Amino acid sequence: MSPKITTELLKQLRQVMKSPKYVQEPVQAYIVPSGDAHQSEYIAPCDCRRAFISGFDGSAGTAIVTEQHAAMWTDGRYFLQAAHQMDNNWTLMKMGLKDTPTQEDWLVSVLPEGSKVGVDPFIIPADQWKRMSKALRSAGHDLVPVKENLIDTIWTDCPQRPCKPLITLDLSYTGVSWRDKIVALRSKMAERKVLWFVVTALDEVAWLFNLRGSDVEYNPVFFAYAVIGMNTIRLFIDGDRMMDPAVREHLQLDSTLEPEFKIQVMPYGSIVSELQAVGAGLSPKEKVWLSDKASYALTEAIPKAYRYLTPYTPICIAKAVKNASETEGMRRAHIKDAVALCELFNWLEKEVVPKGTVTEIIAADKAEEFRSQQKDFVELSFATISSTGPNGAIIHYKPVPETNRTLSVNEIYLLDSGAQYKDGTTDVTRTMHFGTPSAYEKECFTYVLKGHIAVSAAIFPNGTKGHLLDSFARSALWDCGLDYLHGTGHGVGSFLNVHEGPCGISYKTFADEPLEAGMIVSDEPGYYEDGSFGVRIENVVLVIPAETKYNFKNRGSLTFEPLTLVPIQRKMIDVNLLTQKECNWVNDYHQKCREVIGAELERQGRHEALRWLIRETEPVIRVQ
Amino acid sequence: MSPKITTELLKQLRQVMKSPKYVQEPVQAYIVPSGDAHQSEYIAPCDCRRAFISGFDGSAGTAIVTEQHAAMWTDGRYFLQAAHQMDNNWTLMKMGLKDTPTQEDWLVSVLPEGSKVGVDPFIIPADQWKRMSKALRSAGHDLVPVKENLIDTIWTDCPQRPCKPLITLDLSYTGVSWRDKIVALRSKMAERKVLWFVVTALDEVAWLFNLRGSDVEYNPVFFAYAVIGMNTIRLFIDGDRMMDPAVREHLQLDSTLEPEFKIQVMPYGSIVSELQAVGAGLSPKEKVWLSDKASYALTEAIPKAYRYLTPYTPICIAKAVKNASETEGMRRAHIKDAVALCELFNWLEKEVVPKGTVTEIIAADKAEEFRSQQKDFVELSFATISSTGPNGAIIHYKPVPETNRTLSVNEIYLLDSGAQYKDGTTDVTRTMHFGTPSAYEKECFTYVLKGHIAVSAAIFPNGTKGHLLDSFARSALWDCGLDYLHGTGHGVGSFLNVHEGPCGISYKTFADEPLEAGMIVSDEPGYYEDGSFGVRIENVVLVIPAETKYNFKNRGSLTFEPLTLVPIQRKMIDVNLLTQKECNWVNDYHQKCREVIGAELERQGRHEALRWLIRETEPVIRVQ
């Protein structure tokens, strides 16, 4: 990996920072955040502006360019990668280290008095704007919105914004029509006494209209906004996608409808002017509901007195609670996904052990091949983490030719992968050894397994937030002085983003919404030994009601049901570190894998994989 | 309990709310918060203004009086009590219920346009002022500071502000001189680049100067503020307390000292004008450090640009980490406290079982009597919760003649009590049965015990916040559908407040500071069955380093050592619900009680209590 040479680009950027063509007054600094106008986690190539200007293409990072300096803030996952990808023009700001200044503090330390700091108001979330603007103002500087994105002005070969065809999802997948979703949304709006709701997150637009797209890799979403009034529906979307007869039919664009369900289709770029028109028409006490993560540009379009901002939108919360059709779809998707993985693991055992010719990349490709044979497969749900030996300790590893290792009988192999099927989204991690694991490797694996089981089998009251379960996953590791430096679980969409809010299982947050039956999260504790190996055991689990002996205050209890049904390698388990209860959990889980996935392998005529499954799901037995 | 008749008082208050003698402009509403000028949890009688105006004397509640209405906000602990203590002039606002408006929303709904809402700026914390002021302003009203407290103007027989003699603590108790504490504080100030630090919390003033007082019941503190500069120390305190030769000597008031350690003693009431003078002398970038919970009056005395506000002060954090002298003192205090409780429980068994003449109040008094026989006993550390049968289910119960029940062989007895000794503060809860507990009572007790052990024996990495341990205490209860509606633990002062920040073990917070070796917290899970019984098992525990097999990232691990050494009633334990590990914990704990407390009982010649202790610390054995 050689760094990107950015001298010329930075020169050009510094020119446009002073050019009256683009800025009303020269800006002394320009901020290039990671995101897109929808604050997406995964972004389209045309939105990779920070990677373009710096060379650093990790998933998180903020660049700031001044007349003299260029600096990049990123977190511990990316210190090495950023250092490799950026040339000497750039200073790496290692977030989380004690001596690293915040962006605001750094700006204050390097800017001449009374500076202007520019940023694209569509890319910066309103809450970040507020914080940074306040800090700069108190030091005598100004944060200013620069309408034209300055990176785009110098990015001559910038790829076009994707505008791919849409997929319509019928009731058998979604369980609820978009009309009923609008009705439910309007009733939430009435409860909070707001007149308008602005949908800014791409997965929220997709979910609301029961549409999917492929504008962004891994996330089946499309570029659009929506503005829902009590009597109007406006969808802001570009291209000829609304010409597709299936889409027109799905959205009933040509039907005679009650006016409150008539969708007005508008150009994507007209969102701000339309919002300004909405804002101008409001009278006191009439409010517009927006996520507090919406862009500054959209938030600012509504006068402050009329804004109603919440961290989680009613769509985000409704979307998280899967209905029966979505749950059944997720079950089907996980069964197909398990079939693909049984095939893969059986194939790996045959290839790795005697031949030693399988690399991380080959294994990842093979996993995709098996998945793509399954019905309704659409694409992967994220870049496959296929890692062996020391690469397994790099939590967000993705194999590239420079790092690609060959799987062997001497090293642990960790595969974290998933797919988008039309009926659901999967995300599963298994860690395995093709030879004989060391006692230490088994010990670490077993602690991780104990943590996985502690979460999966946990019973907790209705209304409990997921972050309260995080320590359960760590307790066995903590007892021996071990730990892992990531959260334990994230929300998973239903044929949508593999990471979604508002729930999860992580010590890092406090603002997650309570878990409720129908929510789907991952359970993925791990252990990582730098330079040596990584262990992670991940299932996607469904929140379900739990039967308990008593029922305090009539609150009811919840627990989890694993949707992922892929054997956990028995060879890696030190059975005598398990309690009898944990042992039973493993055996019950494997029994279910054998029954459910076995039947499907049989149905698909995959007999060799079936034999592998049966062998891998034999009971484990404690020696007392 | 008959309600307080407040018609005349409210009439008087509404008059002064309009009187030019007290307010510049009439106020249409007046807020009466719970606290004092130091945001203390326990307050002096002269500060019980909310109780005076309403009759409701629970520990938490805010009264708001308008021309037409009088409303009281309090939480679930006090719904019943407030309803009993207040007359029909008052509307009870039940906090935590869905339909209860916030104070701001309620004010906006009842106030005429453009109203003024008054509050004593010394009683309202700055963060609350900010929130309320913003909400009122956005609805066209104004929050205004009313200098003279309007309750005080109508409270003709208001008790005097206490001004009791001070106790000086020498190095054998404190481990660190006040001079060294000032040096350490100044180094923290230099780190943060602040020039001044304002000490507003009473326990922080007491800790900093190694002084104690008795101005407030249960908390050994005295009314004072302090302002520490890099070269000056100002102590704001009233009365002739500074005439006491021991205090003068302790503070070296008459010695020739380096100027930066010379304490200037000033009147308590001059704090605001002195702070204003400090503020006026500042130049840009010179900051004054305050708690963000300091009163609005003090915060406002410093111009906004010069304020440096943090949720926890450096004194709060330093005070929480006990040094070797303090830890040893806490150990001694807990040994004496255990002696008193062994005597009490032995006495109760003799009195309750055959005679049935012991009431909750008699038991509480007897507990105090035994404690007061111990060396360096000062007072109780909080009002004793002595509760039997259904009273045990009232979490903050305090026996009064109207509720006083007689202990019997048929009901569970719960005693939550503690004391201030010159060498430490105690807080312990034991739940016991003097007859034969039912299987269900034993079952619930055992789940609570499992939770207590899960926290006490937990091993966790350095840097872990206490709130991450809260779920460990609940897991066994959750498994059966049970729970308790309070946090699991609070910080405990060293001959100081029995509740102190910045650490604790509670799902309710996220902003606690990480636990570190030397911190002291309580571990007190419980279970409460309304109308029937309550169970709580509470030890005070010290955070200590833990030995672990591995040491991930060299972070080190922590665990707890119980300082409380009082037997947990074996009769209440359903041993077969314990794991072998839990069983061993109980037996090891009892073994330590027997050794340490047994030796002290022997030394004090308390042979009957010693026999009781030996019987109560026999090992429990699981029947497999």
Side-chain angles (χ1 to χ4, degrees):
Chain A
M1 252 193 304
S2 56
K4 175 166 181 169
I5 304 304
T6 59
T7 310
E8 189 51 37
L9 282 178
L10 287 171
K11 199 174 136 197
Q12 288 172 17
L13 176 61
R14 285 170 178 140
Q15 274 162 1
V16 294
M17 282 164 60
K18 287 180 287 191
S19 158
K21 197 170 157 194
Y22 302 115
V23 288
Q24 285 191 303
E25 282 186 88
V27 297
Q28 282 70 46
Y30 188 67
I31 306 177
V32 188
S34 272
D36 63 12
H38 306 269
Q39 284 64 57
S40 308
E41 183 188 4
Y42 292 76
I43 56 178
C46 62
D47 286 318
C48 298
R49 299 181 180 96
R50 184 250 303 152
F52 168 76
I53 191 68
S54 69
F56 166 53
D57 67 0
S59 75
T62 298
I64 303 184
V65 176
T66 68
E67 284 160 65
Q68 307 290 335
H69 304 92
M72 175 70 67
W73 280 258
T74 190
D75 63 62
R77 293 173 294 172
Y78 294 117
F79 292 165
L80 232 64
Q81 181 181 335
H84 279 140
Q85 294 183 320
M86 299 192 306
D87 69 9
N88 287 336
N89 290 299
W90 290 85
T91 308
L92 179 58
M93 296 292 187
K94 298 181 173 182
M95 288 164 70
L97 300 198
K98 225 177 127 185
D99 295 328
T100 304
T102 64
Q103 293 162 27
E104 295 90 326
D105 285 349
W106 180 79
L107 278 168
V108 169
S109 74
V110 302
L111 286 177
E113 240 171 86
S115 287
K116 307 267 177 224
V117 177
V119 68
D120 180 342
F122 279 93
I123 306 300
I124 188 166
D127 56 349
Q128 266 182 45
W129 171 284
K130 196 174 161 185
R131 203 185 56 236
M132 180 158 274
S133 171
K134 195 177 160 187
L136 290 175
R137 203 168 39 240
S138 82
H141 309 296
D142 262 326
L143 186 64
V144 298
V146 179
K147 272 200 185 151
E148 188 133 11
N149 189 292
L150 296 185
I151 302 296
D152 294 357
T153 65
I154 61 168
W155 194 352
T156 48
D157 57 347
C158 175
Q160 280 233 309
R161 182 161 301 277
C163 201
K164 305 229 180 99
L166 303 183
I167 304 171
T168 61
L169 290 183
D170 66 33
L171 269 184
S172 70
Y173 291 105
T174 66
V176 181
S177 69
W178 62 260
R179 277 183 62 136
D180 288 345
K181 287 181 178 178
I182 296 273
V183 170
L185 173 61
R186 284 182 178 146
S187 105
K188 289 276 171 205
M189 289 161 60
E191 256 177 39
R192 306 289 184 104
K193 302 195 178 101
V194 303
L195 286 190
W196 298 89
F197 180 83
V198 187
V199 198
T200 57
L202 298 183
D203 64 334
E204 296 191 13
V205 180
W207 179 86
L208 183 61
F209 292 103
N210 292 334
L211 291 170
R212 297 293 186 269
S214 53
D215 287 356
V216 178
E217 196 179 11
Y218 306 126
N219 291 175
V221 296
F222 51 94
F223 285 102
Y225 294 103
V227 176
I228 312 300
M230 295 313 271
N231 296 300
T232 48
I233 304 172
R234 293 179 194 154
L235 180 59
F236 297 80
I237 186 167
D238 276 351
D240 51 7
R241 302 191 272 198
M242 291 293 128
M243 295 293 115
D244 179 342
V247 173
R248 295 196 74 78
E249 159 100 34
H250 175 81
L251 295 179
Q252 298 180 265
L253 294 181
D254 306 310
S255 318
T256 323
L257 272 178
E258 307 93 297
E260 68 266 32
F261 294 112
K262 192 85 199 156
I263 298 176
Q264 303 164 45
V265 178
M266 298 184 157
Y268 178 70
S270 67
I271 178 73
V272 167
S273 55
E274 285 297 325
L275 276 184
Q276 283 165 340
V278 163
L282 295 173
S283 50
K285 298 217 170 177
E286 294 183 339
K287 298 266 182 188
V288 179
W289 196 343
L290 284 148
S291 162
D292 66 1
K293 310 280 177 310
S295 71
Y296 175 73
L298 264 63
T299 309
E300 206 57 16
I302 304 296
K304 197 170 172 186
Y306 301 143
R307 286 177 215 155
Y308 179 74
L309 305 181
T310 58
Y312 299 114
T313 70
I315 299 188
C316 172
I317 294 168
K319 174 166 63 62
V321 182
K322 275 70 178 174
N323 60 42
S325 306
E326 289 171 322
T327 308
E328 278 319 301
M330 286 294 269
R331 276 189 219 283
R332 286 195 305 275
H334 280 84
I335 292 170
K336 294 182 285 189
D337 212 56
V339 165
L341 286 186
C342 288
E343 283 282 13
L344 175 77
F345 294 147
N346 176 53
W347 179 85
L348 282 177
E349 281 188 9
K350 280 192 316 186
E351 297 293 315
V352 171
V353 182
K355 301 187 193 154
T357 53
V358 181
T359 65
E360 293 166 342
I361 293 177
I362 291 174
D365 290 345
K366 198 75 187 173
E368 181 165 4
E369 184 190 321
F370 282 122
R371 283 187 161 110
S372 68
Q373 295 165 2
Q374 295 297 314
K375 187 172 168 249
D376 281 343
F377 171 84
V378 178
E379 62 172 334
L380 297 186
S381 56
F382 58 96
T384 299
I385 300 175
S386 169
S387 55
T388 190
N391 288 341
I394 303 167
I395 295 170
H396 287 84
Y397 179 77
K398 180 192 161 183
V400 289
E402 291 87 342
T403 62
N404 196 17
R405 287 176 76 89
T406 302
L407 279 60
S408 85
V409 294
N410 303 314
E411 289 183 337
I412 286 184
Y413 176 63
L414 184 160
L415 180 75
D416 184 352
S417 61
Q420 299 286 0
Y421 302 90
K422 223 180 140 182
D423 41 13
T425 302
T426 66
D427 180 1
V428 45
T429 309
R430 287 294 179 269
T431 305
M432 54 189 54
H433 204 291
F434 299 108
T436 305
S438 72
Y440 179 61
E441 288 167 336
K442 288 173 67 174
E443 184 185 358
C444 293
F445 182 93
T446 307
Y447 296 146
V448 173
L449 176 60
K450 287 166 85 80
H452 180 94
I453 297 171
V455 170
S456 196
I459 293 174
F460 48 92
N462 249 314
T464 301
K465 292 181 168 192
H467 73 260
L468 292 170
L469 310 179
D470 185 81
S471 298
F472 290 157
R474 297 175 201 275
S475 180
L477 288 160
W478 283 356
D479 279 345
C480 293
L482 303 180
D483 196 7
Y484 54 97
L485 302 181
H486 59 73
T488 300
H490 52 80
V492 179
S494 175
F495 184 28
L496 260 180
N497 297 357
V498 74
H499 295 162
E500 67 168 27
C503 58
I505 302 173
S506 174
Y507 64 95
K508 292 177 192 168
T509 181
F510 193 61
D512 50 332
E513 287 284 314
L515 293 171
E516 50 180 297
M519 284 179 165
I520 292 178
V521 296
S522 69
D523 169 14
E524 47 179 315
Y527 175 69
Y528 310 91
E529 187 120 329
D530 281 348
S532 182
F533 66 88
V535 170
R536 185 159 63 250
I537 303 172
E538 175 186 24
N539 281 353
V540 168
V541 295
L542 171 69
V543 182
I544 58 168
E547 291 297 320
T548 53
K549 189 169 175 189
Y550 307 111
N551 188 6
F552 179 64
K553 302 261 180 206
N554 242 335
R555 287 192 300 178
S557 292
L558 299 171
T559 186
F560 298 111
E561 175 199 329
L563 295 178
T564 305
L565 293 172
V566 177
I568 294 163
Q569 198 180 38
R570 289 153 62 247
K571 182 200 287 189
M572 287 292 293
I573 303 174
D574 182 343
V575 186
N576 290 312
L577 292 177
L578 298 184
T579 64
Q580 190 54 52
K581 249 172 111 175
E582 289 164 341
C583 208
N584 295 345
W585 185 95
V586 170
N587 291 334
D588 292 348
Y589 178 72
H590 278 160
Q591 182 61 29
K592 189 165 177 195
C593 291
R594 188 187 279 197
E595 284 169 18
V596 178
I597 309 307
E600 181 66 15
L601 285 167
E602 182 78 52
R603 208 187 56 76
Q604 295 192 16
R606 297 175 182 270
H607 300 295
E608 204 182 322
L610 177 57
R611 279 193 297 278
W612 177 89
L613 173 70
I614 287 170
R615 199 186 68 228
E616 288 295 309
T617 52
E618 287 293 322
V620 295
I621 295 155
R622 288 169 84 211
V623 185
Q624 286 297 350
Chain B
M1 253 195 298
S2 56
K4 174 164 183 169
I5 305 303
T6 59
T7 310
E8 187 51 37
L9 282 177
L10 287 171
K11 200 175 134 195
Q12 288 171 15
L13 177 60
R14 284 170 180 138
Q15 274 162 0
V16 295
M17 282 163 62
K18 289 181 285 196
S19 158
K21 195 171 156 195
Y22 302 116
V23 289
Q24 285 192 302
E25 281 184 89
V27 297
Q28 282 71 46
Y30 188 67
I31 306 176
V32 188
S34 271
D36 63 12
H38 305 270
Q39 285 64 56
S40 308
E41 183 189 6
Y42 292 77
I43 57 179
C46 61
D47 287 317
C48 298
R49 300 182 180 96
R50 184 249 305 149
F52 168 75
I53 190 68
S54 69
F56 167 54
D57 67 359
S59 76
T62 298
I64 304 185
V65 176
T66 69
E67 282 159 67
Q68 306 291 334
H69 304 91
M72 175 69 67
W73 280 258
T74 189
D75 63 64
R77 291 174 294 171
Y78 293 116
F79 292 165
L80 233 63
Q81 180 181 335
H84 280 141
Q85 294 184 321
M86 299 193 305
D87 68 10
N88 288 336
N89 290 299
W90 290 86
T91 308
L92 179 58
M93 297 293 187
K94 298 180 173 182
M95 288 165 70
L97 300 197
K98 225 177 128 184
D99 295 329
T100 305
T102 63
Q103 294 161 26
E104 296 90 325
D105 286 349
W106 181 80
L107 278 168
V108 170
S109 74
V110 303
L111 285 177
E113 241 171 84
S115 286
K116 308 264 178 228
V117 177
V119 68
D120 180 342
F122 279 93
I123 306 300
I124 187 166
D127 56 349
Q128 266 183 45
W129 170 284
K130 196 174 163 184
R131 203 184 57 236
M132 180 156 276
S133 171
K134 196 178 160 187
L136 290 175
R137 203 168 39 240
S138 82
H141 308 295
D142 261 328
L143 186 64
V144 298
V146 179
K147 272 198 186 154
E148 188 133 9
N149 189 293
L150 296 186
I151 302 296
D152 293 357
T153 65
I154 61 167
W155 193 353
T156 47
D157 57 345
C158 175
Q160 280 233 309
R161 181 161 302 280
C163 201
K164 306 228 182 100
L166 303 183
I167 304 171
T168 61
L169 290 183
D170 67 33
L171 270 183
S172 70
Y173 292 105
T174 67
V176 180
S177 69
W178 62 261
R179 277 182 65 135
D180 287 345
K181 288 181 180 180
I182 296 273
V183 170
L185 173 62
R186 284 181 177 147
S187 106
K188 290 278 171 202
M189 289 161 61
E191 256 177 39
R192 307 288 184 105
K193 301 193 177 100
V194 301
L195 286 191
W196 298 90
F197 180 83
V198 186
V199 197
T200 57
L202 298 184
D203 63 334
E204 296 190 12
V205 180
W207 179 86
L208 183 61
F209 291 102
N210 292 334
L211 291 171
R212 296 294 186 269
S214 53
D215 288 355
V216 178
E217 197 179 10
Y218 305 128
N219 290 177
V221 296
F222 52 93
F223 285 103
Y225 294 103
V227 176
I228 313 300
M230 295 312 271
N231 297 300
T232 48
I233 303 172
R234 293 181 195 154
L235 179 59
F236 299 79
I237 186 166
D238 275 352
D240 52 5
R241 303 191 272 198
M242 291 295 127
M243 296 293 115
D244 179 340
V247 173
R248 296 197 73 79
E249 158 100 36
H250 175 82
L251 295 178
Q252 299 181 263
L253 293 181
D254 305 310
S255 316
T256 323
L257 273 177
E258 308 93 297
E260 67 266 33
F261 294 111
K262 192 87 198 154
I263 298 177
Q264 304 164 45
V265 178
M266 298 185 160
Y268 178 69
S270 68
I271 177 75
V272 168
S273 55
E274 285 299 324
L275 275 183
Q276 283 165 341
V278 163
L282 296 172
S283 50
K285 299 216 170 178
E286 295 183 338
K287 299 266 182 190
V288 179
W289 196 342
L290 285 148
S291 162
D292 66 1
K293 310 281 178 308
S295 71
Y296 175 73
L298 263 62
T299 309
E300 206 57 17
I302 304 297
K304 197 170 171 186
Y306 301 142
R307 287 177 214 154
Y308 180 75
L309 304 181
T310 58
Y312 300 115
T313 69
I315 297 188
C316 172
I317 294 169
K319 173 166 64 62
V321 182
K322 275 70 178 172
N323 59 41
S325 306
E326 289 170 322
T327 307
E328 278 319 302
M330 286 294 269
R331 274 188 220 282
R332 284 195 307 272
H334 280 84
I335 291 170
K336 293 182 285 188
D337 212 55
V339 165
L341 286 186
C342 289
E343 283 282 13
L344 175 76
F345 295 146
N346 175 54
W347 179 84
L348 282 176
E349 281 188 8
K350 280 192 315 186
E351 297 293 314
V352 171
V353 182
K355 302 187 194 154
T357 53
V358 180
T359 64
E360 294 167 342
I361 293 178
I362 291 173
D365 290 346
K366 198 74 188 173
E368 182 165 2
E369 182 190 323
F370 282 122
R371 283 189 161 109
S372 68
Q373 295 166 2
Q374 294 298 313
K375 186 170 169 253
D376 279 343
F377 170 84
V378 178
E379 61 172 335
L380 298 186
S381 56
F382 57 97
T384 299
I385 299 175
S386 169
S387 55
T388 188
N391 288 341
I394 303 167
I395 296 171
H396 288 84
Y397 178 77
K398 180 193 162 180
V400 289
E402 292 87 343
T403 62
N404 196 17
R405 287 176 77 88
T406 302
L407 278 60
S408 85
V409 293
N410 304 314
E411 291 183 336
I412 287 184
Y413 177 64
L414 184 160
L415 180 76
D416 185 352
S417 61
Q420 300 286 1
Y421 301 90
K422 222 179 143 184
D423 40 12
T425 303
T426 66
D427 180 0
V428 46
T429 310
R430 286 295 179 269
T431 305
M432 54 188 54
H433 204 292
F434 299 108
T436 305
S438 72
Y440 178 61
E441 288 168 337
K442 287 173 67 174
E443 185 185 358
C444 295
F445 182 94
T446 308
Y447 296 145
V448 173
L449 176 60
K450 286 166 84 82
H452 180 94
I453 296 171
V455 170
S456 196
I459 293 172
F460 48 92
N462 248 315
T464 302
K465 291 180 169 194
H467 73 261
L468 292 170
L469 309 180
D470 184 81
S471 297
F472 289 157
R474 297 175 200 275
S475 181
L477 287 161
W478 283 356
D479 278 345
C480 293
L482 303 180
D483 197 7
Y484 54 96
L485 303 181
H486 59 72
T488 300
H490 52 81
V492 178
S494 175
F495 184 30
L496 259 181
N497 297 357
V498 74
H499 295 163
E500 68 168 26
C503 58
I505 302 175
S506 175
Y507 64 95
K508 292 178 192 168
T509 181
F510 193 60
D512 49 331
E513 287 284 312
L515 293 171
E516 51 180 296
M519 284 179 166
I520 292 178
V521 296
S522 69
D523 169 14
E524 47 178 315
Y527 174 69
Y528 310 92
E529 187 122 327
D530 281 347
S532 182
F533 66 89
V535 170
R536 185 159 64 250
I537 303 171
E538 175 186 24
N539 280 352
V540 167
V541 296
L542 170 70
V543 182
I544 58 168
E547 291 298 318
T548 53
K549 188 168 176 190
Y550 306 112
N551 188 6
F552 179 63
K553 302 263 181 205
N554 242 335
R555 287 192 299 178
S557 293
L558 299 171
T559 187
F560 297 111
E561 176 198 329
L563 295 179
T564 306
L565 293 172
V566 176
I568 295 164
Q569 200 181 36
R570 290 152 63 246
K571 182 201 285 189
M572 288 293 293
I573 304 175
D574 182 343
V575 185
N576 291 312
L577 292 177
L578 298 183
T579 63
Q580 189 54 52
K581 247 172 111 174
E582 289 164 341
C583 208
N584 295 344
W585 185 95
V586 170
N587 290 334
D588 291 348
Y589 178 72
H590 278 160
Q591 182 60 30
K592 190 167 176 194
C593 290
R594 187 187 281 197
E595 284 170 17
V596 177
I597 308 306
E600 181 67 15
L601 285 167
E602 181 78 53
R603 207 187 57 76
Q604 295 193 15
R606 296 172 182 271
H607 300 296
E608 203 181 324
L610 176 57
R611 280 194 296 278
W612 177 89
L613 172 72
I614 286 170
R615 198 185 70 227
E616 288 296 308
T617 52
E618 287 294 320
V620 295
I621 296 156
R622 288 170 82 211
V623 186
Q624 286 296 349

